[in-house]
């Protein structure tokens, strides 16, 4: 199975490799434009970024599937505050499937800065006293004390968006 991931971020590539390891994939990282803001600020923008990454990664390669992953922040009507969200998209060129990863409420002091226009990664680096947290444990790891991390969280988005391609439950003929 040949997979093209629409990112060169090692955490995103690792999330795809680990999640789909039983299929023994060959994974190629492809530097593509997400077509959305560097910091997506809505569910719609985050999902659109994942879709664009999946389509563009597939178009740039001869892979069987294109995979796109996007993290963003959004206000979700049923929950208070600003949340970190993670979405994945997978395409084989005909179908496009989407799936979400975990959603985490951001601490108020982080949410305020992000709401004022800052990007989450640099804000988290400032709060944590780190550099490049987005390529390590991510905000998900820091905000859960390691109960999850960015690789696992993105992996859930991979699993949720890839599932329809590997099960018969989504077949329209079944």
């Amino acid at each position: 199975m040949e997979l093209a991931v629409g990112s060169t971020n090692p955490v995103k590539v690792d999330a795809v490799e680990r999640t789909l390891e039983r299929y023994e994939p060959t994974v190629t990282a492809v530097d593509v434009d997400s077509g959305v803001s560097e910091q997506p600020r809505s569910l719609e923008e985050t999902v659109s970024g994942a879709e664009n990454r999946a389509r563009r990664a597939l178009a740039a390669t001869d892979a069987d599937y294109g995979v796109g992953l996007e993290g963003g922040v959004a206000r979700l009507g049923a929950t208070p505050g600003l949340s970190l969200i993670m979405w994945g998209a997978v395409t084989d060129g005909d179908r496009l499937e989407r799936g979400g990863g975990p959603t985490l409420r951001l601490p108020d002091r982080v949410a305020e800065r992000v709401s004022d226009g800052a990007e989450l990664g640099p804000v988290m680096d400032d709060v944590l006293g780190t550099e490049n947290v987005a390529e390590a444990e991510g905000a998900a790891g820091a905000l859960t004390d390691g109960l999850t991390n960015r690789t696992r969280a993105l992996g859930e988005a991979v699993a949720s968006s890839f599932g329809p391609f590997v099960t018969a439950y989504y077949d329209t003929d079944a």
Side-chain angles (χ1 to χ4, degrees):
M1 176 185 297
E2 301 279 332
L3 302 171
V5 179
S7 178
T8 56
N9 182 313
V11 175
K12 291 182 178 183
V13 174
D14 191 37
V16 172
E17 290 173 337
R18 286 176 186 236
T19 303
L20 301 176
E21 68 184 338
R22 75 164 129 160
Y23 300 104
E24 300 178 6
T26 301
V27 178
T28 303
V30 183
D31 188 14
V32 298
D33 184 359
S34 69
V36 299
S37 306
E38 185 70 26
Q39 175 65 77
R41 295 182 182 276
S42 68
L43 177 61
E44 294 79 9
E45 189 178 16
T46 304
V47 172
S48 181
E51 292 171 345
N52 291 340
R53 287 179 183 280
R55 286 188 189 108
R56 292 171 180 172
L58 184 65
T61 65
D62 291 326
D64 302 311
Y65 299 97
V67 181
L69 293 166
E70 196 71 42
V73 296
R75 295 198 182 277
L76 305 174
T79 62
L82 187 65
S83 293
L84 168 62
I85 59 174
M86 289 158 254
W87 277 82
V90 175
T91 185
D92 62 3
D94 294 320
R95 288 170 50 192
L96 178 66
E97 298 289 347
R98 302 144 195 91
T103 299
L104 300 139
R105 184 180 67 80
L106 295 173
D108 291 341
R109 66 183 177 148
V110 172
E112 287 171 14
R113 291 176 60 187
V114 172
S115 292
D116 287 343
E119 289 181 30
L120 180 59
V123 170
M124 289 301 298
D125 282 334
D126 184 48
V127 168
L128 299 170
T130 60
E131 287 185 29
N132 237 351
V133 73
E135 292 192 7
E137 69 177 340
L143 297 175
T144 64
D145 193 29
L147 292 173
T148 192
N149 61 36
R150 190 164 190 234
T151 301
R152 283 196 305 264
L154 288 169
E156 292 300 317
V158 172
S160 298
S161 56
F162 201 75
F165 289 99
V166 294
T167 67
Y169 301 115
Y170 295 89
D171 290 345
T172 56
D173 299 333

